[in-house]
């Protein structure tokens, strides 16, 4: 189970990781390290300079005591000259200790300076390589996106394709449904619930017109059979007109 979680976590990290951000973060850490080394070099140089100042002051005191010893000896004060030389000897001991510390700090400063120069060269090399990798990664990413766009396998294009397919399916379904309803209405399987009184009137007029036409045709046929005028009675429209035409035919036949 833990292996499955680790595998999923690594997959999620791979998906979320941007190599360019990782490279920039590594470069920033190296710059921070280089800055710390430079700060260390500056601290060692400051300590070395402080020791040099102390050595100069002690050396000046030692030279002064040397001069005082000479003057005391010239004045016949050997005891005073001895005291001055004793103090000078103590200062020489301190100077020797400071010289030892100065040499150690100078050596440390040289090593840190050399390390800083090497580290700076590595950081510059890393920066150049980082920019090259980032440019290559960006170009590869753009090329991949272009390829996905052309092939239509990218996530965005896949969603658009699915939306278009759903719209086409829905349109075809609505068209089929509309055609089926029209056929059912035409066949009488379904009633037209949108009918209005005006439609009933039209239907009655159509029925009367059809009846009048039939009566007129019958009258014309009777007239032809009887050898009468072939002129077709004028249709006046409606059942009343048709009835009048029929009555006129009957009177003509009786005569």
């Amino acid at each position: 189970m833990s292996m499955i979680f680790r595998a999923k976590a690594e997959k999620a990290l791979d998906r979320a990781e941007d190599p360019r951000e990782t490279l920039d973060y590594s470069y920033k850490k190296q710059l921070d390290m280089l800055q710390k080394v430079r700060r260390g070099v500056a601290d060692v140089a400051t300590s070395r300079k402080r020791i040099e100042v102390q050595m100069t002051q002690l050396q000046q005191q030692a030279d002064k005591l040397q001069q005082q010893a000479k003057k005391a000896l010239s004045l016949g004060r050997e005891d005073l000259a001895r005291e001055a030389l004793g103090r000078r000897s103590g200062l020489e001991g301190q100077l020797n200790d400071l010289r030892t510390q100065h040499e150690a700090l100078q050596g440390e400063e040289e090593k840190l300076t050399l390390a800083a120069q090497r580290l700076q060269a590595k950081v510059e090399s890393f920066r150049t390589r980082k920019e090259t990798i980032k440019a290559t990664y960006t170009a590869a990413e753009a090329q991949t996106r272009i390829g996905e766009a052309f092939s239509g396998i990218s996530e965005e294009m896949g969603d658009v394709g699915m939306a278009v397919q759903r719209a086409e399916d829905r349109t075809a379904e609505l068209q089929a449904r509309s055609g089926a309803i029209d056929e059912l209405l035409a066949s009488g399987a379904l009633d037209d619930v949108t009918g209005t009184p005006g439609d009933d009137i039209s239907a009655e007029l159509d029925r009367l017109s059809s009846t009048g036409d039939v009566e007129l045709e019958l009258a014309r046929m009777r007239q032809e059979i009887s050898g009468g005028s072939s002129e077709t009675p004028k249709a006046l429209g409606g059942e009343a007109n048709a009835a009048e035409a029929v009555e006129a035919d009957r009177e003509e036949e009786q005569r």
Side-chain angles (χ1 to χ4, degrees):
M1 185 64 73
S2 61
M3 185 177 295
I4 295 175
F5 283 119
R6 283 199 298 271
K8 288 186 177 296
E10 289 181 359
K11 187 176 181 180
L13 288 174
D14 291 340
R15 189 180 305 168
E17 182 185 13
D18 188 342
R20 292 167 294 189
E21 295 178 352
T22 304
L23 290 173
D24 288 338
Y25 180 74
S26 299
Y27 178 67
K28 180 178 180 302
K29 297 296 290 183
Q30 292 186 19
L31 287 178
D32 293 341
M33 188 180 301
L34 178 61
Q35 187 65 25
K36 289 181 180 178
V37 173
R38 288 175 175 172
R39 192 178 297 116
V41 174
D43 291 342
V44 173
T46 301
S47 299
R48 176 181 56 80
K49 193 65 179 177
R50 189 179 297 115
I51 288 178
E52 288 177 354
V53 171
Q54 292 178 0
M55 290 173 60
T56 301
Q57 292 174 352
L58 290 178
Q59 187 62 49
Q60 290 175 353
Q61 293 178 10
D63 293 340
K64 183 179 179 180
L65 289 172
Q66 180 72 19
Q67 294 297 327
Q68 289 176 348
K70 288 182 179 179
K71 186 175 181 180
L73 189 61
S74 63
L75 295 175
R77 293 291 303 273
E78 184 176 349
D79 57 334
L80 192 58
R82 191 181 299 275
E83 178 64 22
L85 290 176
R87 293 181 181 180
R88 181 180 179 278
S89 179
L91 293 177
E92 284 294 337
Q94 295 181 22
L95 280 171
N96 290 332
D97 293 339
L98 289 176
R99 289 191 186 98
T100 302
Q101 295 180 17
H102 181 268
E103 291 178 358
L105 287 175
Q106 195 169 20
E108 190 68 22
E109 181 181 353
E110 291 176 354
K111 289 194 297 183
L112 288 175
T113 301
L114 182 60
Q117 292 174 352
R118 290 178 178 176
L119 182 57
Q120 182 175 1
K122 289 184 65 175
V123 171
E124 288 297 326
S125 176
F126 179 81
R127 187 183 67 83
T128 303
R129 188 178 179 186
K130 171 180 72 72
E131 295 300 328
T132 302
I133 294 174
K134 286 175 61 179
T136 305
Y137 182 86
T138 303
E141 187 179 47
Q143 187 66 30
T144 302
R145 288 180 177 174
I146 292 173
E148 290 179 349
F150 274 113
S151 61
I153 61 175
S154 65
E155 185 176 356
E156 292 80 3
M157 294 302 295
D159 293 340
V160 172
M162 292 179 64
V164 171
Q165 183 64 40
R166 286 196 299 271
E168 291 178 348
D169 294 343
R170 183 63 176 167
T171 301
E173 181 182 352
L174 291 176
Q175 288 176 343
R177 186 178 180 84
S178 177
I181 291 174
D182 290 341
E183 290 182 358
L184 293 174
L185 288 173
S187 63
L190 291 179
D191 295 332
D192 187 1
V193 296
T194 61
T196 60
D199 295 331
D200 297 338
I201 294 173
S202 297
E204 183 64 18
L205 291 175
D206 292 341
R207 187 184 64 78
L208 294 175
S209 177
S210 176
T211 303
D213 292 341
V214 171
E215 296 299 334
L216 287 174
E217 183 63 20
L218 289 174
R220 188 185 62 78
M221 291 176 64
R222 290 192 190 99
Q223 192 172 11
E224 288 178 357
I225 294 172
S226 62
S229 177
S230 61
E231 184 178 356
T232 305
K234 295 181 178 179
L236 300 177
E239 189 176 5
N241 293 335
E244 291 177 359
V246 171
E247 184 64 26
D249 291 340
R250 288 177 181 175
E251 291 176 358
E252 186 177 358
E253 289 175 356
Q254 291 175 0
R255 286 195 298 270

